[in-house]
Amino acid sequence: MGNETKGQAGAAAKNRRLSVVVFALFFSWLLAFPFEGQVLYAITGYYGVSAQSLVFEALASHFAGLVACGFLVKSLRAAKRLILFSVAFCAGATGVFFFPPSFLWTAALLSAAFLVGACVAAWGFYFKGCTPKDSRIKTIADCLIFSNVAMILLNLAAIHVSPQAGLASSLFVLAAAFLFALRLPHEDLSKPTAAPSASGGGAASVDKSGTLAFLCLFIVVITINSGLMYQVVNPAFSHLKLLASWYWAVPYIAALFVMRNLPRTANRAYILYVAIAMIGFSYIAFLVLGRSWADYLVVNTLLLGACGIYDLFWWSILGEMLEHHKNPSRIIGVGLAANVGGVFLGGLIGNAITAGSGQAQDHTLLALGVVCVTLAMLPPLHSRLAKLLKGHVYLTTFLEMPVQEQARRINELDLVERLTEREHEVMLLLVNGRTNREIADELFVVERTVKYHASNIYAKTGVSSRTELASLILGRPEAPSGP
């Protein structure tokens, strides 16, 4: 029995690593080519063609692919087929750019952008099936880190070797993605989870569609700054070709790494406000500083570091919201479409300002306006998400309390007298966000014993889940009330 459990755990870990590798490879191609990528800019510059219209058309097509996937792909098997077809097609579309400009360039780029959007959304099935809910923040952090590292390498090849070298490297990355994707499972290996009840307290009473819509609106607003960055900030430092070619995404990667490895007790909610301040200071620096390499380091570090923090935030929220919808590709597709929409909108606004006065002050005022709107949206967003995803690391409440405060609240409810000493230990670990497996390891018992104690705790406290248990201790209105 033990060997069988170890075998299942090993297979799950393997599938998780495989899903990360596949995502990182095809996503790096997306970042380096159709999504404002330096490979695309290098090849269009080589032929003296303007990339601007191609970029905006590709963004629009990518948006459509993200949204459409949720209506076209409804199973893991279909998701794998779409990923394989999309990666192969994108390789063919990349090959078109080895030839001089023609109408085929536009047709290939728009088709590939649509399919890679569908590919990203379809990957949501693997995001949900290959990673436990409480580990998804680490999975997406790994995906974003590795994809951005690969993107930097593709950019370096295109900028410092030749545009054709960038195209050839992109083909290599897509070929590797295809080979690894062949090994992805095509049958759902995760155990089905019960859908939340339509009645009762806790998260079941939350308007999940409304929460997702509000999250998407937040993503659109916060990523307007990304669009401004692509169309305004980056061109202003285009003369720093060597530095910008490799340092551009380094602060983003560093922020992801730091956030990924923060202890669970760290208050990530406060860090979101720090990231908002970083965005504001980055545009103020863009306004008042010059255009030297030192100025670039200041502006880019602040802006891209903040982007890393916020991207991991909303990506991880989407990952946990997968539990509330039977089609993961629809959740991921809609969430990423909001991201692309924000970039698209920010790019259009940046271009419009540049075509007019072109003053850095105008861009800074717009960015600061976006910061103010984001600050206003963050508290109600946090409140909505906390009701739906109480165990998420960005939304912890009980966990942030000092140990003495936790004990005081428990004593006020006379829970100690109702529970055995072991049940009391298990209860503290449950409301602190530990999984059954983590509790079993810490208490040196089997997982079945933890489930037994948890069942007794729920019965004695009159709740039906760890979410309601935490709500009871916190005194939230949705928690079951005693006599």
Side-chain angles (χ1 to χ4, degrees):
M1 187 73 172
N3 290 335
E4 182 181 351
T5 302
K6 289 182 180 179
Q8 292 175 347
K14 178 182 177 182
N15 287 331
R16 176 193 173 276
R17 290 193 296 270
L18 192 59
S19 69
V20 169
V21 169
V22 171
F23 179 93
L25 289 170
F26 74 70
F27 203 70
S28 67
W29 175 86
L30 169 65
L31 294 174
F33 200 72
F35 196 81
E36 300 266 12
Q38 292 304 308
V39 176
L40 178 61
Y41 278 108
I43 195 66
T44 54
Y46 177 81
Y47 284 106
V49 176
S50 174
Q52 191 172 86
S53 61
L54 284 174
V55 165
F56 282 111
E57 289 169 0
L59 286 175
S61 184
H62 184 54
F63 178 94
L66 287 165
V67 174
C69 181
F71 299 95
L72 301 175
V73 177
K74 299 180 180 179
S75 69
L76 191 71
R77 186 181 296 272
K80 180 175 180 178
R81 289 175 179 170
L82 176 61
I83 290 173
L84 289 171
F85 176 77
S86 298
V87 171
F89 185 93
C90 289
T94 303
V96 171
F97 285 80
F98 281 103
F99 301 95
S102 69
F103 75 94
L104 291 177
W105 273 28
T106 302
L109 186 66
L110 297 189
S111 300
F114 178 89
L115 283 173
V116 78
C119 188
V120 173
W123 179 81
F125 279 93
Y126 291 98
F127 190 24
K128 180 178 181 179
C130 297
T131 303
K133 181 178 68 171
D134 56 356
S135 299
R136 286 179 191 149
I137 188 171
K138 292 188 175 181
T139 291
I140 198 57
D142 290 342
C143 288
L144 295 176
I145 288 171
F146 295 140
S147 61
N148 276 271
V149 170
M151 176 202 68
I152 290 175
L153 296 177
L154 294 176
N155 288 346
L156 289 173
I159 295 171
H160 298 295
V161 181
S162 71
Q164 289 74 19
L167 290 173
S169 300
S170 299
L171 285 174
F172 175 79
V173 164
L174 288 173
F178 185 85
L179 293 176
F180 280 108
L182 287 172
R183 299 168 56 190
L184 287 171
H186 57 268
E187 294 181 357
D188 190 3
L189 301 178
S190 63
K191 295 180 180 180
T193 56
S197 171
S199 60
S205 61
V206 178
D207 178 7
K208 292 181 280 292
S209 297
T211 301
L212 178 60
F214 195 77
L215 174 64
C216 288
L217 178 60
F218 176 84
I219 294 172
V220 169
V221 172
I222 193 68
T223 51
I224 285 176
N225 288 296
S226 297
L228 290 173
M229 173 191 68
Y230 282 120
Q231 300 298 326
V232 177
V233 177
N234 287 358
F237 293 101
S238 59
H239 59 286
L240 302 172
K241 195 172 183 180
L242 177 61
L243 178 61
S245 64
W246 66 269
Y247 185 74
W248 175 52
V250 169
Y252 183 85
I253 295 169
L256 290 169
F257 182 81
V258 170
M259 296 300 292
R260 180 198 187 281
N261 293 292
L262 281 178
R264 188 176 176 85
T265 52
N267 194 325
R268 288 171 172 83
Y270 290 153
I271 299 176
L272 295 179
Y273 288 96
V274 172
I276 284 286
M278 289 169 64
I279 294 174
F281 284 126
S282 70
Y283 278 96
I284 293 174
F286 181 70
L287 173 63
V288 302
L289 297 181
R291 297 295 178 258
S292 69
W293 65 268
D295 301 325
Y296 173 76
L297 291 179
V298 172
V299 173
N300 190 70
T301 299
L302 288 171
L303 187 54
L304 268 294
C307 288
I309 293 170
Y310 270 98
D311 280 5
L312 186 58
F313 165 67
W314 58 256
W315 256 109
S316 62
I317 294 293
L318 290 175
E320 194 153 332
M321 291 187 79
L322 298 179
E323 300 300 314
H324 300 274
H325 201 286
K326 62 182 180 180
N327 189 338
S329 65
R330 190 167 297 181
I331 296 294
I332 296 298
V334 169
L336 268 291
N339 172 238
V340 174
V343 172
F344 186 85
L345 182 59
L348 289 178
I349 295 172
N351 274 342
I353 293 177
T354 303
S357 64
Q359 297 295 316
Q361 181 179 4
D362 297 330
H363 304 122
T364 302
L365 290 175
L366 174 61
L368 292 178
V370 172
V371 167
C372 292
V373 173
T374 306
L375 278 172
M377 292 180 67
L378 196 53
L381 175 66
H382 190 281
S383 176
R384 279 175 170 266
L385 292 174
K387 292 178 182 178
L388 184 63
L389 311 172
K390 292 186 176 69
H392 192 277
V393 291
Y394 276 96
L395 310 170
T396 53
T397 304
F398 186 79
L399 193 59
E400 296 165 2
M401 293 180 183
V403 174
Q404 297 83 351
E405 178 65 11
Q406 293 183 15
R408 185 186 68 79
R409 288 184 177 244
I410 292 171
N411 289 334
E412 284 180 354
L413 295 170
D414 296 326
L415 295 180
V416 176
E417 296 180 4
R418 302 188 223 171
L419 307 177
T420 66
E421 182 177 351
R422 177 61 88 182
E423 288 169 352
H424 184 261
E425 291 176 333
V426 172
M427 179 189 66
L428 284 176
L429 294 172
L430 283 171
V431 296
N432 275 275
R434 303 291 183 84
T435 64
N436 290 339
R437 173 64 59 84
E438 290 171 341
I439 296 173
D441 291 342
E442 184 161 339
L443 299 181
F444 302 103
V445 297
V446 297
E447 196 170 349
R448 189 175 355 175
T449 302
V450 175
K451 292 179 180 178
Y452 171 77
H453 287 311
S455 178
N456 287 341
I457 292 167
Y458 298 154
K460 291 179 180 181
T461 56
V463 300
S464 59
S465 67
R466 69 177 67 200
T467 299
E468 290 185 0
L469 181 62
S471 296
L472 177 66
I473 295 172
L474 289 168
R476 287 179 178 162
E478 67 266 23
S481 57

